[in-house]
Amino acid sequence: MKHLPPTVLSLLGCLCAQTPSIDEHTLAAHVRFLSSDLLEGRGVGTRGDELARLYLATQLQSFGLQPGNGDQWQQPVPILGITSEVTAPLTARSSGGEASFTAPDDYTAVAGGPAAEVAWRDAELVFVGYGITAPEQRWDDFGGTDVRGKVLLVMNNDPADDPERFAGKTRLYYGRWSYKFEEAARRGALGAIVIHTNDSAGYPFQVIQASHGRENFWLPFERQPALEVRSWCSEDTARTLCTLGGHDLDELRARAELGNQPPVPLGVTLGLGLRNIPREIASANVLGVLPGSDANLRDQYVVVTAHFDHLGIGKPRNGDAIYNGAVDNASGCAGLLALAQACSRLPTAPRRSLLFLAVTAEESGLLGSQFYTQHPTVPKQQLVANFNVDGLNIWGRTEDLEFIGFGKNSLTALAETVAAAAGRRIEPDSNPDLGLFYRSDHFNFARIGVPAAYFKAGRDFVDRPADRRRMKASYTTVHYHQPSDELADWWNLGGAVADLDLLLACLRTCADADEPPTWTAGDEFEALR
Ligand SMILES: [Zn+2]
């Protein structure tokens, strides 16, 4: 190089500077720190949480970014933990008789709001089908019926059989249990009981039973509608409740499938007692900004998110009680930091501003991102897109990259164009029935109308595809949400580097485009923009 004339040298320097590279060593180093046993699994409100935040903030500062919350690198997030105890078991009464149920064998019940005590004596039970109001699907399970002060018995999932409705087998938000509780609360119901079936949940009732009695996490209740109780029941319990009122569960469900059927008062009243013990928890989001280079677009922000929290210290497995969350989501934080560093090294910043936002309490119910989107640091109309990173590819390079929420907004087409230029391709969700679009932090951005994208590792491995597919599958079955989600020698971050290079190109393309991204016409989030 030393024989080249200075002009060529500076040109080369310039070209190199235009393609800042993300490397495996840097990613591995971030993961090593964040997933270290010393951070004790980054449980919300713990010392590990504080250490992770300090690390993230100091890294963003070292890249030359600006603090994202005024002159602060953190946005405090108050969290309320509530542990519920059943003080009087669920009972049901009708003119035909009585029944009582045992938790968690027959049902589960947790607080759905801030009340310290719940005492139901004669709460009226109403069957509301799927409990969905979806104007764009011309579907309404409530009609004009007032369900204030009632308890709703509701089916999980959404009507799936008709491909013309509710995106066929793809689970929309209407199909998630959290939607059922939220819609019941918006309608002023006292409580809601979701009917569990293996098919509609995708997991057995034991999974729900396991969460009974555990602490639940909320943002502090301000003025948002709340229920007194959030409950699930087994299919047998639902059957008993219906029969007690002289109804047949199967008939009620078949009728609900027709759509636009009014709610059915079951002629059953419920009794239940709950004591709720609150705990205040302090955490924070970490955020840094790279200001845009275009004076006209600088007020618009493209947001990169990754949650930094994990499950903390829990039940020991094989003598290890620290849930390190190396893939979930120390790796995503490493990705966020690498993207921030790469963008900060560009000779000219992208036209729009970039907001790098590491959020807390994802594992507790996406609370950090919910808090941010309810209390954004810039007016929400200025947030134009969100790219979320939750888990990097640790198994090696792939031809493809999975796009969760494929086709929902114009970021799909943008990603396809960018991927094609890199000789790769974008694939739709491989498990559309899991509703992954609603299960990480980008969802909260979608809920305030911000077009959001969430990439997952691809499946079409370049080298030794069969082996690597097996290793990837075993991550989900063996290490996911276990103390063994740890950094290991066998990790191959070559795929993560390639995926992040692609994400970097998407980010820059989005931030430099003349027009911001838009939702696909008719999408469930279009009206929120
Ligand atoms: Zn995660």
Side-chain angles (χ1 to χ4, degrees), residues 22 27 334-336 338-339 389 392 495-505:
I22 289 170
L27 291 177
L336 177 141
L339 289 168
V389 193
L392 290 183
V497 167
D499 292 355
L500 288 167
D501 280 339
L502 197 64
L503 194 49
L504 175 62

Side-chain angles (χ1 to χ4, degrees), residues 26-152:
T26 310
L27 291 177
H30 292 315
V31 173
R32 191 156 73 87
F33 184 87
L34 290 168
S35 68
S36 155
D37 276 355
L38 289 172
L39 272 73
E40 298 179 337
R42 309 182 303 284
V44 175
T46 65
R47 179 179 160 84
D49 168 336
E50 281 183 62
L51 288 168
R53 282 188 263 135
L54 181 62
Y55 181 79
L56 292 161
T58 51
Q59 289 291 318
L60 292 175
Q61 183 174 21
S62 77
F63 307 150
L65 267 58
Q66 296 183 356
N69 185 26
D71 60 358
Q72 302 294 311
W73 292 96
Q74 299 194 25
Q75 175 189 46
V77 178
I79 293 168
L80 187 63
I82 303 180
T83 310
S84 302
E85 257 172 48
V86 174
T87 49
L90 182 69
T91 54
R93 243 188 329 174
S94 75
S95 54
E98 288 184 17
S100 66
F101 304 93
T102 312
D105 297 348
D106 307 319
Y107 72 99
T108 63
V110 298
E117 300 272 349
V118 173
W120 292 355
R121 283 191 188 90
D122 296 296
E124 262 180 73
L125 185 63
V126 180
F127 178 79
V128 294
Y130 285 108
I132 292 173
T133 300
E136 76 283 11
Q137 302 275 350
R138 284 183 232 94
W139 185 286
D140 186 1
D141 288 315
F142 292 94
T145 308
D146 185 352
V147 294
R148 275 178 295 177
K150 310 273 164 75
V151 178
L152 312 185

Side-chain angles (χ1 to χ4, degrees), residues 307 328-329 362-363 390-391 440 480-481:
H307 74 87
D328 185 11
N329 189 28
E362 190 266 1
E363 307 285 6
D390 192 351
S440 187
Y480 174 72
H481 281 198

Side-chain angles (χ1 to χ4, degrees), residues 52-290:
R53 282 188 263 135
L54 181 62
Y55 181 79
L56 292 161
T58 51
Q59 289 291 318
L60 292 175
Q61 183 174 21
S62 77
F63 307 150
L65 267 58
Q66 296 183 356
N69 185 26
D71 60 358
Q72 302 294 311
W73 292 96
Q74 299 194 25
Q75 175 189 46
V77 178
I79 293 168
L80 187 63
I82 303 180
T83 310
S84 302
E85 257 172 48
V86 174
T87 49
L90 182 69
T91 54
R93 243 188 329 174
S94 75
S95 54
E98 288 184 17
S100 66
F101 304 93
T102 312
D105 297 348
D106 307 319
Y107 72 99
T108 63
V110 298
E117 300 272 349
V118 173
W120 292 355
R121 283 191 188 90
D122 296 296
E124 262 180 73
L125 185 63
V126 180
F127 178 79
V128 294
Y130 285 108
I132 292 173
T133 300
E136 76 283 11
Q137 302 275 350
R138 284 183 232 94
W139 185 286
D140 186 1
D141 288 315
F142 292 94
T145 308
D146 185 352
V147 294
R148 275 178 295 177
K150 310 273 164 75
V151 178
L152 312 185
L153 185 64
V154 58
M155 294 155 68
N156 195 21
N157 209 346
D158 59 33
D161 292 342
D162 182 353
E164 299 294 313
R165 266 188 164 154
F166 292 96
K169 295 238 174 289
T170 299
R171 188 171 302 221
L172 297 183
Y173 188 56
Y174 299 114
R176 293 273 300 153
W177 55 263
S178 48
Y179 169 84
K180 316 291 180 184
F181 291 131
E182 288 160 7
E183 185 61 27
R186 276 192 288 272
R187 289 178 172 273
L190 204 55
I193 306 175
V194 178
I195 305 167
H196 174 268
T197 63
N198 287 341
D199 266 6
S200 66
Y203 41 79
F205 194 56
Q206 291 91 288
V207 172
I208 291 161
Q209 289 172 321
S211 66
H212 182 80
R214 274 203 209 144
E215 188 174 29
N216 275 271
F217 300 94
W218 301 82
L219 294 181
F221 292 94
E222 286 163 2
R223 278 180 303 274
Q224 78 265 40
L227 298 173
E228 287 194 352
V229 177
R230 287 179 163 205
S231 168
W232 282 80
C233 72
S234 68
E235 200 173 8
D236 283 347
T237 301
R239 226 175 263 293
T240 308
L241 287 168
C242 294
T243 309
L244 194 63
H247 297 271
D248 180 80
L249 176 64
D250 295 322
E251 269 169 35
L252 288 170
R253 287 193 290 206
R255 185 173 156 280
E257 292 291 347
L258 303 171
N260 300 312
Q261 303 295 315
V264 180
L266 293 175
V268 172
T269 57
L270 301 178
L272 178 68
L274 218 56
R275 180 182 304 127
N276 302 317
I277 300 128
R279 176 172 75 104
E280 283 177 18
I281 302 162
S283 187
N285 295 322
V286 180
L287 59 180
V289 169
L290 181 68

Side-chain angles (χ1 to χ4, degrees), residues 314-342:
K315 200 171 172 186
R317 308 260 169 180
N318 300 320
D320 184 1
I322 299 175
Y323 288 66
N324 305 79
V327 171
D328 185 11
N329 189 28
S331 74
C333 290
L336 177 141
L337 291 175
L339 289 168
Q341 185 172 34

